[in-house]
Each structure stands twice: as C-alpha cells, then as structure tokens.
Amino acid sequence: MGDKHDRKIQQSFTRFFILLALGSALLPTVSFARTEPVPPWVTEAAHQTLPNYPAETNAVVLLDETTYSVAANGTAIEHRRRVLKILRPGGREEAVVAVPFDKDTQIRSLKVWSIGPDGHEYTLKPEEIVDYGYPGQGSLFQDDKLRIAKAPGRDPGGVVAYEYEQTVRPYLTEKTWNFQESIPKLHQSFILELPPGFTYGTVWAHHLQSTAIDLEHQHFRWDLKDTPGIDLEHIPMAPAEYALAGRMTIHYAGPGLTAPTTDSWRTIGEWYQQLSRDRLTPTPEIAAKAKELTAGKTDFYDKTEAIGEFVQRQIRYFVIEVGIGGYQPHPAADIFRNRYGDCKDKATLVSAMLSSVGIHSALMMVDTARGVVDPEAPSLMGNHMIAAIEIPEAYNSPSLRSVVTAKNGHRYLIFDPTWEMTPFGQLEHNLQGGYGVLLEGPDTQAIQLPILAPERNTVRRNATFELTPEGTLQGTVTEKRFGDVSERRRTVYTTGDAQEQSRYLDHALTQDLAAFSVSDVKVADAMSLNKDFTLTYALSADHFARRMGSLLMVRPRVLGSDAFPLDRKPRHIPIDLRETMQNVDAYDIKLPPGYTIDELPEPVKLDVGFASYESRSTLQGDTLHYTRTYTVRQVTLPPDLYPDLQRLDGVIEADEQNSAVLTRK
C-alpha cells in the first residue's frame, strides 16, 4: 500500500537518500562563507547543557517544534524547526537534512544552518539544497521526493538546524506526530491551530497520553521533554522501531469538511469505502476469468484458492502512485487488463473476482512490521494492504489456517496476494500476531491476526552418511521445507540461474562445514506452495571428524543451527522471535570399520513454554543416530522472558557443538 505519511517516507526511502547524500558527488559543494547570522533559537538550543547520555549515543535532538495550522477548507500549513547535535561519528548520518514532499505537500521554504565543532557558523545558500526523486528500481513509480542538504561542520560537537514551511492537503482529517525516533530528544513540542468551530481528538500509541496546553483562540500545544531514543541497531531479536516509537494522532472535524474523522476505526473505514468502492466493480472480462478459474469447483476453499493464486502469481507487482494513489487502488478493470498492480491493487482485483462468483471479501490494512498498527490508536498507520475473504457460515476446512472472527461473528480468511511464496490459506510470518484493519465501512475494526501452528512452517532434514577412518563424511541429504522458511529457497530455485543456486547452497553449507563438495542436486515442488519444497544432494565433507591420538571426535549434529544471536545485557524491550516454526533433524552416520562409540553426548530436553528443544544421540549397530526437534510457538515475548531465551540458547549452542568420541575396537 502506498503510504503518504511520515512513516513510509522516512523509513522506506529517506534512509536511502541520507546514505546517498553522505557520499554522493551529485550534491553541490558547500561554501564555507557565512552569509547571514544563525537565528537566536538555534544558538540558544546549541548552548544547552546536555544530560549524561550513554556512550554509544550518536546524536541528540536539542529542539524539535512543529506547528500545524489547519484552514477552514481542511488544508494545512506545517512549520517545523529542528536542531540536532552530533555526539559521535555515527551521528553524521542523522544530521543530513531531508524533507519529504510530493505534489500535495509542496515545500514553501527551507533554510539550513550549522555550527561546526570549532564554533564557526554557516548558512546554506538555496543552490546548495537539492531535490531528489525516488529511484525506479524496476517496480516502483511514486511522486514522493526529498529536499536534501548536507551542511558543513557535521562532526562530533557540531550542530545542524533547519526550518521549513510546507503546504499540506491531507486526504483524511488526521495528523500524526511521530515524536520518538532512534536518537533522544531534549525538547519538543507540537502546536495545533484550528479554525473557529473545529474540534479535535487525539489517540496515543506506545506512550502515555499527554494533556494539551490551551493557548486560547483554538491553539493547543503538547510539550515533551527528555524523550529517549529507540536505538535497536545492536539489540538482538528486536522489533521494528516503529512498533515501539511513541506517536500521537490528531483527528479533527469542522463545518464544511466532507470527510471528517474521529478517533474511531469506523470513520476511517467509511472514508476508505468511499475511496475504493467504485474500484472493486468486476467487469465482464473479470467475471469471465473468475468463472473459468472456478469451473467445476463447488468447495469454497477450492474456488477462493484458484482466484487467489491467479492474482498472486499472474499479476505482477508494480507500483504507480501519485497523490491520492498512495491510498486509492486503481480500478480492478485496469489491474486485470494490465496484469500489474501494487498491494492494494492486487487485493482489489481479488475482491472483484470473488464478488463475481458470489463470494464477499474486504480489504485489510496492515503493516509489514508487526506491532505498528495499534488497535487503540486509529489512524492510517499501515504500509500494506491484503484481502479478507468472508467464510460461509458453518463452513470448515483444515486448509483454512489464517482465520479471524469479526465482532459480528463473521469469519474471514486472511490472504496476501502480494506475498508470492506463502501458500494460500496461510499468512506470512511478519503479519502473524500483529493487527489488521478490516475495512468494512461502518463495521471497520482492528483485528488481531492469527499466529499459525509451528507445524505449518517446517524444516525437516534427513541424511545418511558414512565416515571414513580419515574423518571424511560422505552421504546423501534430503531437506524438506514448508511455509515461510521455504521462501528464499523457492525463490532461488525458481528464478535464479545454476550459478546462483550453487552459490546459495555453498553458502548455506559453509555455516557448518569447513571443506566440502556437493553433487547430484535435485529439487522438487519448488512452485507448489502447498507441498514441501524438497532439496536432495550428495555431500562429501573432508576433515569432518577430528583425530585425537587413537580417537575420532565427530559432531552428531551435521547441518543446521538453531542458536540465537543473543547478548548478556539486561533486556527492556520485547523480543521478536520472527516466526513460529518447527525444525526436525535426523542424521545417521555409519562408523568407520574397526571403530565403536566410546562416549556419546547426553540427551537434551528443555521446554520454556514459548519454545522447546530436544536431542538425542544413540548407537544403533554400527551407526551413530542423532535426532533433534526445535519448536517455536510464539512470535513476540515480553522482555522479562529474556533469561529463559538465554537459557534455551545456551542449551542449543552446547548441543550443537557436542561431539561423540569414537575409539578403535
């Protein structure tokens, strides 16, 4: 879904341009001549005494002031001042000025100043500020742009400030103030100016509600001080920044506004219904194709799967968004005829095709980062659109795995036609456990998306090996994958060439083996998403067993690692386990002639509720047999469970490194 809001602009491509700006020769060379004095509000902010921040803090925002002035017709002027101080070399990136705009959010003015670590003051000239458009990348066209400036003095101790004024033509009468980011903020404020007769309401996400100061004459101000940063760069298994960052969304209404919204999902859904209703109409061509796809099928699942997979596989993902196109889908007729569209386009075509065969569905707004959509904070804070297909009353099928129930008791099968490698009936792992907004007009509501059983996302490895007296391991491996854990391999083995496929497998094996060769690689059911992706190959690994005198040390766990990249620091934020899953390994290693087992690793079994791990090594005749099962049952954990995760990781890591000792008979 195209996002004409701060989150998409900042997260999806501002970072790209910031990195580009840091090293790009395309940006003009900044002159070091002082052209006009730095404003007093900049110098005052720059001379503040800072708190004691952690040593790894790259930068701090000294001042961030936004004034949002709404006109009687619903348009607005946004005025912003921001002053940032660089504390460490990594803060140079934060100090690049990047103001987003498009045809509906034109920048009226932008001024940039800086104060170097040596105290020199600089003012950028207009010709030293440049505009960039979003790079095409083959599947994207948007009218979003950035106005970028790279000020001098961007070194530790330096200060960069800017001030801009921008026209805003909101499609919905809401404004979101994203007041928390990766670096701390010392002082910040948001001022709302409304015309006479207008009213407003606020919803807060990931932060306690703050009361506005009434400045009289329809002016209101919110002040925040010492807002901590959310630096997740070095925190293992961290959620997305926007899933934790605090924000306030203001909804306002007034005389004459055609689509006022309140702090409810219903008004957002009614607005979107007006925006998308005529786009969902099936044409005769669409109806004919839907009839063709469902011919001879009477079962609900079979019919929806045929249409869903058609859109999933035959409609190419391509984004064309200008203005309101960031939210409004193209007409289903255009999507079908052109055979391409973005996420909301593909969901729209699914809905149109289903309606032509008598099946109701709705669009559902979600975010690709779990936790961003907050059920208690209605807003357009979502960057993706999927489909919710209504299930007939009393209908049941084991194939329906991603199902939600609305407040009125209606059940919906959740399906993402954009995610090309997730089987129909399931839901990609990053959406599971988060919230989606079911866009059903007045019945619009936020619904928590299901978490699928681990058995729907599996890796199963079986291998039979022989070990030579010299320590070489030889045998055949069969790996079966189902669900999202098969996505990367399905992509490589359906779209990559032979060289890419070989490199991919070599890279995977390098994680476990020092020297090896692979031959006789075979793949089955790479594009049959409701079947296991199966990979078989012959493997020879030199020096797999280590000789210690007359003994041979051999690792029963030949392939695959389930250990986590954890640290030992105190945990204060939730833990993202990424996905539910189950890994099952079974390896047989025939011992070299004349050898027997002298020592076996102890069996392991640990269940911590959200996950479990068990393994066992046994001797069966002249064969060392190793089995293990690792199961993840939850996707998000509270921070107080971090010690349990650390304990689980320790058990897994130790087991994976354990060796069996072979001795001569």
Side-chain angles (χ1 to χ4, degrees), residues 361-427:
S361 66
L363 303 184
M364 174 175 276
M365 183 178 69
V366 296
D367 196 281
T368 52
R370 184 168 39 243
V372 171
V373 176
D374 188 326
E376 303 302 322
S379 73
L380 287 176
M381 203 68 178
N383 69 349
H384 190 43
M385 192 75 78
I386 59 177
I389 306 170
E390 187 172 352
I391 303 169
E393 188 176 353
Y395 177 87
N396 287 291
S397 167
S399 298
L400 300 179
R401 293 176 284 271
S402 183
V403 176
V404 300
T405 302
K407 294 177 181 178
N408 58 9
H410 294 183
R411 295 178 301 145
Y412 293 84
L413 173 65
I414 309 303
F415 169 60
D416 185 353
T418 303
W419 217 263
E420 296 179 353
M421 293 299 174
T422 296
F424 185 83
Q426 298 201 174
L427 189 65

Side-chain angles (χ1 to χ4, degrees), residues 225-285:
K225 294 184 178 181
D226 298 319
T227 306
I230 305 178
D231 186 2
L232 305 177
E233 184 177 357
H234 302 295
I235 298 180
M237 307 180 79
E241 178 183 318
Y242 271 81
L244 302 176
R247 65 180 189 262
M248 174 187 74
T249 297
I250 299 171
H251 298 274
Y252 52 90
L257 295 184
T258 57
T261 59
T262 64
D263 54 352
S264 73
W265 292 113
R266 178 183 60 81
T267 56
I268 291 175
E270 289 175 338
W271 168 78
Y272 200 82
Q273 186 179 59
Q274 295 297 319
L275 198 66
S276 60
R277 176 182 292 155
D278 64 338
R279 307 301 172 104
L280 299 166
T281 304
T283 62
E285 293 77 15

Side-chain angles (χ1 to χ4, degrees), residues 65 97 111 125 187 269 277 346 351-352 453 641:
E65 296 180 342
V97 177
K111 294 183 179 180
K125 300 175 182 178
H187 298 286
R277 176 182 292 155
K346 296 186 73 167
S351 185
L641 289 182

Side-chain angles (χ1 to χ4, degrees), residues 551-565:
L551 304 177
L552 275 179
M553 312 290 290
V554 59
R555 187 183 71 210
R557 193 271 311 172
V558 180
L559 300 170
S561 176
D562 295 324
F564 317 112

Side-chain angles (χ1 to χ4, degrees), residues 305 309 312-313 401 415 419-424 426 456 481-484 486-487 490-491 494 525-533:
E305 180 187 40
E309 288 191 347
Q312 186 180 33
R313 298 182 183 183
R401 293 176 284 271
F415 169 60
W419 217 263
E420 296 179 353
M421 293 299 174
T422 296
F424 185 83
Q426 298 201 174
R456 304 310 307 170
R481 289 176 175 256
F482 184 85
D484 278 7
S486 69
E487 177 187 352
R490 289 185 193 273
T491 301
T494 54
D525 296 319
M527 279 305 295
S528 299
L529 302 185
N530 271 307
K531 294 182 180 179
D532 287 333
F533 166 87

